[in-house]
Amino acid sequence: MDAAGSQVEGECTKYAGQSQSGFITTQGGNLLCSKIIHLIHNNNVKSQVSKVLNECELRMYKSVAFPAIGTGQAGQSPAKVADDMLDAIVEFARKRSVQHLKKIKIIIFQTHMLGDFYKSMKKREDSGSCTTDSWMSLFKSFFLGKKQLTEKKKPVVLEKKVDVATFQICGERQRNVDATESWLKNLILKEQLENTISDELIENLDERQIATLADLQRRKHVTIQLENKLSPPRITISGISRDVCFVYVEVQKMIKTIKDTEEERSKAELVYNLVEWRYPGSNDSFVAFDKLTNMQLEDAKIAKKPHLTVKINKRNYKVDLNTLQANDEQGKTINIQRVPKNEGKL
C-alpha cells in the first residue's frame, strides 16, 4: 500500500464498505499497472483467485499478477496455496469463453516457496490434467529465471532477434519511387544468404553452446533458427552472406566438438569393458579410475609412454607406466593396478 500511494489508500477507504464480491478495485496509483484488485481476507484461496480471473476477463484485462495469497500474515501452507491457485487457473483456462485474459503471473518473493509451486505444477504435468501445451508453458513461466529442480534436459530455446531498418523514399514521380524501391530490394537480396545444417547431434547442444549461438546471432546480426523437433534436427542461418558464412563455420566447429566428445565417451566405455585401472582407496581396497582417465592410462601404456599425469582425489600424480607407481607433488608414492577383464581379448 505504501508503494501504491495515498490515492489508492483513499480509494480503499472510500469503497471498503461497498464490496459485495469479496474484493474492491482501485486505480494502480504509483505501481506499474492500470488497476489493483484488493481481496478481502478469506481462507478459500481457490475461490478468491477464480473471482479475480473472472473479473479480469469481464473487464477485458489482458494480464494479471498474483502474490502467493495467504502465505504472509494469514499463515497458510505454501503447498496448499500453490495447489489452490493452480487449480483455479487450470479451471479458468479450460473455459472456452476466455478471450481477453492472455497472461497470468504468480509473483513469489520468498524463494523457499518456489519448490512448493514447482511441485504443484509438476503434479499437473505428470497427470496430464492440463489440456494444452500452452497452459503448461504458462505454469513453467512462473519459475522463469529459477534453476530446474530436476535433471531433465531442457528444450533448446534461442530467442530470435531481428534488427529492422526502415527506408523512406521520396521522389517527384511515383515511377521513380517504385524504381528506387525495386533497386533497393534487389541490392538487399543479392547480399542475403541462408544456410541450413542438419545433424542428429544438434539436439545435444548444451546451455553453454546455446549461449554461444545467441552471442553469434547478436554480434554478427544474423538470424539463427533451431528446429530440434525435426528428424534430423536443423539449424538455419540467414543474413548477410559474409556473416552467414562465418557463423556457419562456427556452428560446424561446435557440432564437431560434440561429435568428438561422443566418440571419446564411446571409446572410453569400450576400453573400460576390457581393462580397469585402479588406485588405492580405504581399508586396503582399490578404487576404479573414471572411464576417461582409465582410457587415457590404457592409451598411454599401448603407446609405450613412460609417464602420464592423472588426478587422484583432486591431486596430481605422475604415473610410471612401467612400475605402476604414482608420485604426487609432495613425493608421496602409491601403487596403482591394471586389471584386464578378459585376458583372451588383450
Side-chain angles (χ1 to χ4, degrees):
M1 187 67 73
D2 290 339
S6 58
Q7 178 189 352
V8 173
E9 188 174 356
E11 286 188 75
C12 287
T13 302
K14 179 179 178 181
Y15 300 125
Q18 302 178 19
S19 170
Q20 296 181 350
S21 303
F23 62 85
I24 60 173
T25 303
T26 68
Q27 299 299 316
N30 297 330
L31 301 181
L32 297 178
C33 60
S34 59
K35 302 287 183 180
I36 302 175
I37 298 178
H38 304 262
L39 293 169
I40 297 173
H41 176 64
N42 184 332
N43 287 329
N44 192 338
V45 172
K46 180 179 177 181
S47 173
Q48 288 187 307
V49 173
S50 296
K51 286 180 179 179
V52 171
L53 293 175
N54 289 326
E55 177 71 3
C56 289
E57 178 66 17
L58 179 66
R59 302 295 179 186
M60 295 187 291
Y61 300 151
K62 295 186 181 298
S63 65
V64 62
F66 291 92
I69 298 172
T71 58
Q73 293 182 355
Q76 293 201 47
S77 162
K80 184 179 184 304
V81 168
D83 286 339
D84 288 346
M85 294 188 73
L86 295 183
D87 282 344
I89 293 172
V90 168
E91 290 180 9
F92 177 79
R94 285 176 173 167
K95 294 180 180 179
R96 295 184 181 275
S97 59
V98 176
Q99 297 180 354
H100 305 289
L101 188 59
K102 301 298 183 182
K103 184 180 293 186
I104 304 170
K105 293 182 179 180
I106 296 180
I107 310 301
I108 303 172
F109 296 102
Q110 300 88 346
T111 56
H112 67 275
M113 294 184 191
L114 288 171
D116 294 308
F117 279 82
Y118 180 82
K119 289 175 184 176
S120 183
M121 180 270 290
K122 282 295 293 181
K123 283 192 296 186
R124 287 158 178 76
E125 184 178 31
D126 295 338
S127 65
S129 63
C130 278
T131 56
T132 64
D133 289 339
S134 61
W135 285 100
M136 183 51 65
S137 298
L138 169 67
F139 290 145
K140 290 178 180 178
S141 71
F142 295 164
F143 307 97
L144 185 63
K146 172 181 169 291
K147 292 183 179 178
Q148 291 283 359
L149 298 184
T150 67
E151 293 182 1
K152 184 176 179 181
K153 187 174 180 181
K154 292 192 288 188
V156 174
V157 178
L158 184 65
E159 184 182 0
K160 188 174 181 180
K161 300 288 287 184
V162 178
D163 294 325
V164 178
T166 302
F167 292 90
Q168 292 184 334
I169 307 170
C170 302
E172 294 181 357
R173 296 181 176 84
Q174 183 63 44
R175 67 171 181 270
N176 294 338
V177 172
D178 293 341
T180 303
E181 180 183 2
S182 178
W183 175 80
L184 276 172
K185 287 181 177 179
N186 290 333
L187 187 64
I188 292 170
L189 288 174
K190 285 179 182 178
E191 287 294 320
Q192 293 294 302
L193 180 65
E194 181 175 285
N195 271 348
T196 299
I197 302 171
S198 298
D199 198 297
E200 293 291 350
L201 294 174
I202 289 173
E203 67 180 0
N204 294 334
L205 290 168
D206 59 26
E207 290 184 2
R208 178 181 56 81
Q209 290 161 329
I210 295 297
T212 300
L213 287 178
D215 181 62
L216 284 169
Q217 181 174 244
R218 185 183 67 255
R219 288 190 296 109
K220 292 298 179 180
H221 302 287
V222 298
T223 298
I224 302 176
Q225 183 178 5
L226 277 73
E227 298 173 283
N228 59 319
K229 292 184 179 180
L230 297 179
S231 182
R234 183 169 65 191
I235 293 178
T236 301
I237 310 161
S238 55
I240 297 176
S241 302
R242 63 177 183 274
D243 296 325
V244 169
C245 291
F246 178 87
V247 174
Y248 180 87
V249 171
E250 293 302 307
V251 173
Q252 289 286 19
K253 290 179 182 177
M254 198 177 293
I255 293 173
K256 185 179 184 302
T257 298
I258 298 173
K259 181 179 180 181
D260 292 344
T261 301
E262 292 291 325
E263 289 178 350
E264 189 173 46
R265 286 177 183 168
S266 297
K267 181 183 176 184
E269 186 70 35
L270 176 61
V271 172
Y272 182 74
N273 290 332
L274 298 175
V275 63
E276 183 176 279
W277 288 76
R278 302 171 179 172
Y279 61 89
S282 58
N283 300 325
D284 297 325
S285 63
F286 278 79
V287 180
F289 282 96
D290 65 85
K291 293 179 181 179
L292 184 58
T293 304
N294 188 79
M295 178 188 69
Q296 292 169 347
L297 285 163
E298 187 63 15
D299 284 349
K301 182 171 179 60
I302 292 172
K304 296 182 178 181
K305 293 182 179 179
H307 301 96
L308 180 70
T309 300
V310 299
K311 279 194 178 293
I312 300 176
N313 296 326
K314 299 182 180 180
R315 296 171 64 180
N316 289 328
Y317 278 81
K318 186 176 182 180
V319 178
D320 186 318
L321 293 167
N322 293 318
T323 65
L324 298 188
Q325 289 186 327
N327 299 288
D328 68 5
E329 295 172 348
Q330 283 72 43
K332 179 183 176 181
T333 300
I334 60 173
N335 294 316
I336 65 172
Q337 295 179 345
R338 177 184 180 274
V339 183
K341 294 186 176 181
N342 190 330
E343 288 286 356
K345 292 187 178 182
L346 291 177

